[in-house]
Amino acid sequence: MLAKYREKRNFNVTAEPKGGAKPRLKSKNLSFVVQKHQASHLHYDFRLEWNGVLLSWAVPKGPSLDPATKRLAMAVEDHPVEYGGFEGVIPEGEYGGGTVMVWDHGTWEPDDPDVDANLEKGDLKFSLKGTKLKGSWVLVRTRGFGKSTKPSWLLIKHKDQYASEEDITITKPKSAASKRLMAQITKANDGDVEKAAKADPSTASKASAPVKQTA
Ligand code: MN
């Protein structure tokens, strides 16, 4: 299941994990991660552990806590479970070149234990126990957008006590793993700080340890 993932990457160049040969098949506490990724375009990679890999969707605008806001989520290749711990910089010129932040992480639980059947149906209901994202959510498959042949899904918050109109991508911009902003992660890994800083809300970079930008 990781063949596509490995095919796209040169592990002599990128620090991303290759993934273990033997995936864990059962896990009591299934992990989830949302990685903020400033590649050619900023997006949030939403990943759910299932059958020993991380099922993955690229969400251009990131998750919304508002049940009225449906966020486009493009299905992408499965990632190794270890990828959930990856925060750093993918070298420019490599696949997905740019900064990766562990924007949120925690555990998830499907509403219905038959996840494969729900994925097949295109309607996966689940709950999240993350640092930022909590409560009930759904991923619903839709018809593809434009010329894309990749399946498109919508990530939607269900109404519960965690639903809110707060724009959490703006109000909570720091890493759930390291409390760093994109610019700080990038600086620590010798990446392109100016490019990465564009992904931090302007209010956040002023409020925290300043990353000096010369005009
Ligand atoms: Mn990505």
Side-chain angles (χ1 to χ4, degrees):
M1 281 209 269
L2 294 174
K4 237 189 240 174
Y5 170 85
R6 289 178 179 142
E7 194 180 286
K8 287 171 185 281
R9 290 168 177 81
N10 178 356
F11 296 100
N12 295 322
V13 182
T14 182
E16 296 164 285
K18 193 171 180 192
K22 280 192 180 177
R24 291 183 293 164
L25 285 177
K26 292 274 175 193
S27 175
K28 254 190 191 164
N29 294 304
L30 296 165
S31 64
F32 89 92
V33 65
V34 182
Q35 281 158 318
K36 186 173 178 177
H37 185 187
Q38 175 74 309
S40 47
H41 298 281
L42 175 66
H43 59 274
Y44 292 73
D45 289 300
F46 186 83
R47 311 190 197 278
L48 300 174
E49 179 184 357
W50 185 247
N51 283 340
V53 295
L54 293 173
L55 307 175
S56 298
W57 291 262
V59 184
K61 293 184 176 172
S64 170
L65 301 184
D66 182 354
T69 303
K70 302 172 170 72
R71 286 287 158 85
L72 175 64
M74 274 107 66
V76 296
E77 76 275 14
D78 296 341
H79 278 52
V81 171
E82 299 94 310
Y83 204 93
F86 178 72
E87 183 169 270
V89 173
I90 301 167
E92 293 299 332
E94 293 303 302
Y95 182 72
T99 302
V100 177
M101 168 199 281
V102 176
W103 182 79
D104 197 19
H105 57 184
T107 59
W108 78 283
E109 205 178 318
D111 287 14
D112 169 359
D114 197 347
V115 172
D116 292 322
N118 288 292
L119 288 168
E120 184 70 27
K121 216 167 43 171
D123 184 356
L124 179 67
K125 296 182 177 71
F126 55 95
S127 62
L128 297 177
K129 275 186 203 162
T131 308
K132 299 173 187 175
L133 304 182
K134 298 174 198 291
S136 179
W137 295 75
V138 64
L139 273 163
V140 191
R141 192 168 52 225
T142 82
R143 289 186 299 149
F145 278 70
K147 288 174 188 163
S148 171
T149 52
K150 285 179 186 170
S152 294
W153 297 65
L154 296 170
L155 176 65
I156 311 164
K157 180 80 193 76
H158 276 153
K159 284 180 189 163
D160 61 17
Q161 76 261 41
Y162 302 109
S164 155
E165 287 181 12
E166 173 189 348
D167 185 348
I168 195 160
T169 62
I170 300 296
T171 59
K172 304 260 173 68
K174 290 184 184 176
S175 166
S178 69
K179 310 294 175 213
R180 294 178 297 179
L181 290 165
M182 293 292 276
Q184 294 166 320
I185 293 165
T186 309
K187 200 177 180 194
N189 290 280
D190 296 321
D192 182 342
V193 177
E194 205 173 321
K195 175 188 169 190
K198 287 182 199 147
D200 290 321
S202 50
T203 46
S205 47
K206 275 173 210 156
S208 73
V211 177
K212 286 270 188 268
Q213 297 266 355
T214 44

